[in-house]
Amino acid sequence: MTAIRRQDRAGYLFLLPWFGGMLFMIVPFFASLYLAFTDYDLLTAPTWAGLDNFRRMFDDAKLHQSLKVTIIYTVVSVPLSLIVALAVAMVLDRGVRGLAVYRSVYYLPSLLAGSVAIVMLWRYIFGYNGIVNDFLAWFGIQGPGWASDPRYALSTLILLHIWTFGSPMVIFLAGLRQIPAMYYEAASMDGASGWRQFRSITLPLLSPIIFFNLVQALIASFQTFTQGYVISNGTGGPGESTLFYNLYLYQKGFAEFDMGYASALAWLLLVIIAGFTAVNFLAARFWVFYDN
């Protein structure tokens, strides 16, 4: 009992920085909830507006566009990035020489993709005179300015998101290493093909890891900001094709000084993320399997 209590004390000691950080989050959390019901321009005292900020959302065309852009980005980029991450993890799990080096190289983009420098580099690569069009020119094809064309601008950011598969890949790799090899050996003896082993062994046993990565990726994709801000110079262009929800929230709060409405938008985003997360947890009972 004494040893258990010592472990509890050690656990609480390690949690102290987290509890300290929570103290700095609680006040802004409730302050934003209050401001969501006010008219506040950052320069004068907020005035109570009731539900006006939430009523405005129904007629806000730019809000609807930002939701459309964010949902398309999430629905397309999240599954593709997880598929690529799992595929690469399975290749590395076969015992590639220099695994630590490959793992670090593939993980590096996850650390850098949210930086301003990488997004600017991405804008250059997909620019009218960028590397992609230089490559197409070898075949006599004159490509458009991918990052400045409303038809393709969002697609370039989706590719950037897929390129950052390193973080889920490392988690997938750790999960693959935990699957007992005897399952595959028994399946091989029964004549199961590689695809059948993947469907019947790998996916079910890896489903908790897939679920974790899916929830993490969904939350992160709904919070996308830097990529849209940098590639469009903060406008959400061209033609509002990269107007992510967080970028529109930023425009309202810090460009137009409509902080009351921006706070309401922040709470709407919280509800949306919570809704998508809840749906995933409810659906998990049908496809996530835990090896007890």
Side-chain angles (χ1 to χ4, degrees):
M1 182 65 70
T2 303
I4 295 176
R5 289 177 179 175
R6 288 177 180 173
Q7 291 178 2
D8 290 342
R9 286 197 294 268
Y12 287 125
L13 182 63
F14 281 109
L15 284 172
L16 275 178
W18 184 82
F19 285 122
M22 283 295 296
L23 295 177
F24 292 97
M25 296 175 61
I26 290 176
V27 173
F29 181 85
F30 287 104
S32 69
L33 178 60
Y34 166 71
L35 293 176
F37 297 94
T38 66
D39 182 12
Y40 181 44
D41 61 4
L42 294 176
L43 302 175
T44 58
T47 57
W48 186 257
L51 296 174
D52 288 352
N53 289 326
F54 296 94
R55 294 192 187 100
R56 287 173 57 188
M57 296 179 182
F58 292 100
D59 301 319
D60 191 343
K62 290 191 69 174
L63 169 60
H64 303 159
Q65 174 64 15
S66 69
L67 281 170
K68 177 183 175 181
V69 169
T70 305
I71 290 174
I72 291 175
Y73 175 81
T74 299
V75 170
V76 177
S77 66
V78 170
L80 289 177
S81 64
L82 293 183
I83 290 172
V84 173
L86 179 56
V88 174
M90 292 185 66
V91 172
L92 296 181
D93 187 50
R94 294 181 178 272
V96 178
R97 294 182 60 182
L99 176 61
V101 176
Y102 282 106
R103 188 167 49 196
S104 301
V105 169
Y106 286 129
Y107 182 71
L108 190 60
S110 296
L111 301 177
L112 301 177
S115 67
V116 173
I118 293 298
V119 181
M120 291 185 67
L121 176 62
W122 208 257
R123 186 171 65 177
Y124 170 74
I125 291 173
F126 287 94
Y128 187 78
N129 296 315
I131 297 174
V132 172
N133 281 348
D134 287 345
F135 174 76
L136 293 176
W138 292 351
F139 304 95
I141 302 173
Q142 178 57 59
W146 304 92
S148 58
D149 191 316
R151 296 172 298 173
Y152 308 112
L154 183 60
S155 300
T156 63
L157 295 182
I158 290 175
L159 286 175
L160 175 59
H161 183 88
I162 296 172
W163 180 61
T164 63
F165 64 85
S167 181
M169 182 271 295
V170 170
I171 300 174
F172 278 139
L173 184 58
L176 289 169
R177 291 297 177 91
Q178 299 302 313
I179 300 177
M182 63 181 181
Y183 292 162
Y184 296 105
E185 294 170 357
S188 297
M189 293 178 64
D190 289 339
S193 64
W195 173 245
R196 182 59 186 270
Q197 292 179 35
F198 174 74
R199 285 173 42 232
S200 301
I201 300 175
T202 305
L203 282 181
L205 294 181
L206 205 62
S207 58
I209 306 297
I210 297 173
F211 174 67
F212 174 80
N213 278 333
L214 176 61
V215 171
Q216 291 286 97
L218 278 173
I219 294 174
S221 63
F222 271 105
Q223 296 176 330
T224 301
F225 169 76
T226 305
Q227 295 88 329
Y229 181 88
V230 174
I231 208 165
S232 68
N233 293 320
T235 64
E240 298 181 350
S241 60
T242 60
L243 184 64
F244 289 101
Y245 190 97
N246 267 1
L247 176 55
Y248 181 58
L249 190 156
Y250 169 84
Q251 290 176 351
K252 280 295 179 182
F254 298 98
E256 301 178 19
F257 298 107
D258 193 356
M259 187 57 70
Y261 188 53
S263 298
L265 291 175
W267 277 90
L268 175 62
L269 179 61
L270 174 64
V271 171
I272 292 172
I273 293 176
F276 273 88
T277 305
V279 169
N280 274 287
F281 272 92
L282 291 174
R285 68 182 69 178
F286 300 107
W287 65 275
V288 178
F289 305 97
Y290 294 96
D291 186 11
N292 296 322

